[in-house]
Amino acid sequence: MQIDDAVAAALSYLDSVDPASAADAALGWEGLRAVSPPGGPTQISVQTFLWSYLGESVGDPDRAWDIAEALAELLDRLGHARYADIARSERTRELLTTTDEGSRQERVERAVNASGVAPEDSDLITWQDVPEGAERAMVDLIGETLEVATVAGEFQSSGIDGKPLRDSAVAAKRRRITDSVLRSERAGGVLLEQLLDHRIALWTRYSPPRVELYRDLNTALHDAIAPAYGCVRRLEGMLAIVGDGITLTDKGYLPAPVVEQALGTLWTPREWPFPVGDERGTEPVLRVRRLLLRLGLVRKRHGRLLPTARAKEMSADRLWSTLVERLVGAEYHPESIAAEVVLADVARGSCSDDPSPLVTELLAAEGWSHVGGPDAADKDLPLGDDVLQDLAALGLLVYGDDPAPTPDGMRLAAAVLRRRLLHTRIPSV
């Protein structure tokens, strides 16, 4: 362990007073430095070491508390009074002496959130449970920024009554700071784009078939940060037709005149060269209407199809982000894994006749064997086919001798994959 002059002098003083305590302080400092950034300890690294690592590495709660108290003395000698207070706090003692692992993890999570320095999940990112590499460095950087904001009083009430801010208000401020740091540039470019590269590398290490899944997609995934508004044209058009509400048929479908109106305004005769019928027989209209339901933009109530509050006066940007967020979602599940395979193909500009071999390989490699009855890796019909049907209904596939996605379809597929990369938590192996 390399110790600088200030630490060596502080340990020497402690050794002259109590050699056993000095030895504990040295152990504590070694552990703290292992989880701290190169510039030295931060609040988040102090908390991480004391609350997550110390008790587990030592095993004996009383012994862990002795090391924490000794480390507090060292931190005081080094001029880190705030960190020393954390080390000797009642919260730290409580966490170190909690023997039930499940209960301890819950308490650690609550304590970190209450401390104000943990980066928040936001629309830009969902952090991995155990960040590593570049992601760990970004967590540390954001933690340092949040620490400065905490010390500066940005999470304290500025009102006359002096009431503390609500937890929701504090969390919202932390999200804004987190996003601001991620949008900033450091060596190598915008941090969020660096984090995307890290997630691609992380996922491709998770199972060998994922190397093939993300092959040659880096540029498309980075470019997909920009919206493709053509993807939401039919959603906007259908919302306009729904207006303030439409009375549905007795069986819950759009009435024929509305279906005819939708076809006449949102689809060309070449795209739907069939007679106008009811909604059940008009696949594109049915799919777009059901997609609006999935996106939370319309709802059924008392026999009517109504716009939701979030759909009213929704901008094209917000509609795009909603489509990207909810078309597949961030869940780690066989259906969404199959959708990833289809979307990766579309993002490259093609529509595979049969994506099932890679789907099967992925599911088998990542341990999926039984989901809802049949073996997920051995289903006769390829999973994820609904994604292609949704893209077709949105006008993002061109059919002919060789079906192919439009440029907007390629952008949407890449954007959905990008969001999954940034928001799906990799399950523990």
Side-chain angles (χ1 to χ4, degrees):
M1 176 182 63
Q2 188 174 8
I3 297 179
D4 63 27
D5 292 342
V7 176
L11 286 173
S12 177
Y13 170 80
L14 294 176
D15 185 63
S16 69
V17 176
D18 185 345
S21 179
D24 284 346
L27 282 174
W29 180 256
E30 181 179 6
L32 176 58
R33 288 292 295 145
V35 299
S36 296
T42 62
Q43 183 176 336
I44 197 167
S45 70
V46 170
Q47 292 173 178
T48 298
F49 170 65
L50 291 168
W51 299 348
S52 297
Y53 292 143
L54 179 57
E56 184 176 339
S57 63
V58 173
D60 179 357
D62 292 333
R63 179 86 181 100
W65 176 241
D66 288 341
I67 293 173
E69 286 190 303
L71 179 60
E73 294 297 321
L74 176 60
L75 290 169
D76 265 334
R77 297 291 303 176
L78 294 173
H80 296 309
R82 288 182 60 250
Y83 301 161
D85 288 342
I86 294 171
R88 63 167 63 93
S89 68
E90 191 57 38
R91 173 174 285 164
T92 295
R93 182 169 192 165
E94 176 191 345
L95 293 172
L96 288 175
T97 55
T98 299
T99 55
D100 179 74
E101 184 63 22
S103 175
R104 192 180 72 81
Q105 288 298 332
E106 290 179 8
R107 293 184 183 188
V108 167
E109 185 175 345
R110 287 199 301 269
V112 171
N113 288 333
S115 72
V117 298
E120 284 278 331
D121 291 341
S122 71
D123 287 340
L124 292 184
I125 189 67
T126 298
W127 300 104
Q128 296 295 325
D129 291 328
V130 183
E132 60 177 68
E135 186 167 350
R136 176 76 258 171
M138 291 182 200
V139 167
D140 290 337
L141 176 61
I142 294 168
E144 292 174 36
T145 307
L146 290 168
E147 180 179 349
V148 171
T150 300
V151 174
E154 291 191 26
F155 301 123
Q156 296 176 2
S157 174
S158 58
I160 298 176
D161 56 11
K163 291 182 179 179
L165 293 177
R166 292 182 178 179
D167 291 345
S168 58
V170 172
K173 283 193 170 187
R174 283 165 56 190
R175 278 193 296 273
R176 286 196 294 271
I177 292 173
T178 297
D179 288 351
S180 177
V181 174
L182 286 175
R183 289 190 175 105
S184 67
E185 289 196 30
R186 296 290 191 275
V190 177
L191 286 181
L192 183 62
E193 301 309 305
Q194 295 180 48
L195 182 55
L196 176 62
D197 285 331
H198 169 75
R199 288 287 179 88
I200 294 171
L202 197 65
W203 270 108
T204 51
R205 292 201 307 268
Y206 188 61
S207 73
R210 284 192 179 269
V211 177
E212 177 65 19
L213 181 66
Y214 293 115
R215 175 181 51 82
D216 301 329
L217 281 179
N218 288 56
T219 299
L221 292 168
H222 284 292
D223 290 346
I225 192 171
Y229 297 115
C231 297
V232 300
R233 181 178 64 84
R234 286 180 181 164
L235 295 174
E236 289 179 312
M238 190 66 78
L239 279 174
I241 290 171
V242 171
D244 293 329
I246 292 176
T247 300
L248 300 171
T249 66
D250 291 343
K251 294 186 177 180
Y253 293 96
L254 291 173
V258 174
V259 175
E260 184 175 5
Q261 180 189 2
L263 276 177
T265 56
L266 302 178
W267 282 266
T268 66
R270 187 170 180 271
E271 290 173 315
W272 188 256
F274 308 105
V276 177
D278 60 16
E279 190 186 18
R280 284 175 296 179
T282 313
E283 177 72 9
V285 175
L286 179 63
R287 278 204 168 265
V288 170
R289 193 261 297 171
R290 285 179 171 172
L291 186 54
L292 287 175
L293 281 169
R294 278 169 45 205
L295 298 178
L297 301 176
V298 296
R299 62 191 176 98
K300 289 183 177 181
R301 180 176 174 83
H302 300 315
R304 287 176 59 79
L305 187 68
L306 303 169
T308 59
R310 70 195 306 262
K312 295 179 180 178
E313 299 182 3
M314 176 172 274
S315 67
D317 280 309
R318 188 59 189 156
L319 190 53
W320 161 263
S321 62
T322 301
L323 177 62
V324 170
E325 176 186 350
R326 299 194 177 192
L327 183 66
V328 174
E331 186 180 12
Y332 180 72
H333 183 272
E335 293 286 354
S336 58
I337 293 170
E340 283 184 276
V341 175
V342 172
L343 289 168
D345 216 28
V346 172
R348 293 189 188 94
S350 63
C351 298
S352 174
D353 292 335
D354 183 13
S356 58
L358 183 54
V359 173
T360 299
E361 191 178 359
L362 259 176
L363 293 174
E366 296 182 3
W368 293 98
S369 60
H370 187 80
V371 180
D375 288 348
D378 296 315
K379 291 185 79 170
D380 293 332
L381 296 175
L383 297 169
D385 189 55
D386 270 355
V387 176
L388 279 180
Q389 300 302 320
D390 286 338
L391 294 180
L394 292 172
L396 304 178
L397 298 182
V398 177
Y399 283 100
D401 293 336
D402 294 309
T406 66
D408 280 352
M410 294 170 63
R411 175 64 61 85
L412 176 61
V416 174
L417 287 175
R418 173 191 171 95
R419 194 176 198 287
R420 283 185 61 79
L421 282 162
L422 293 173
H423 289 275
T424 303
R425 285 196 170 100
I426 298 179
S428 58
V429 181

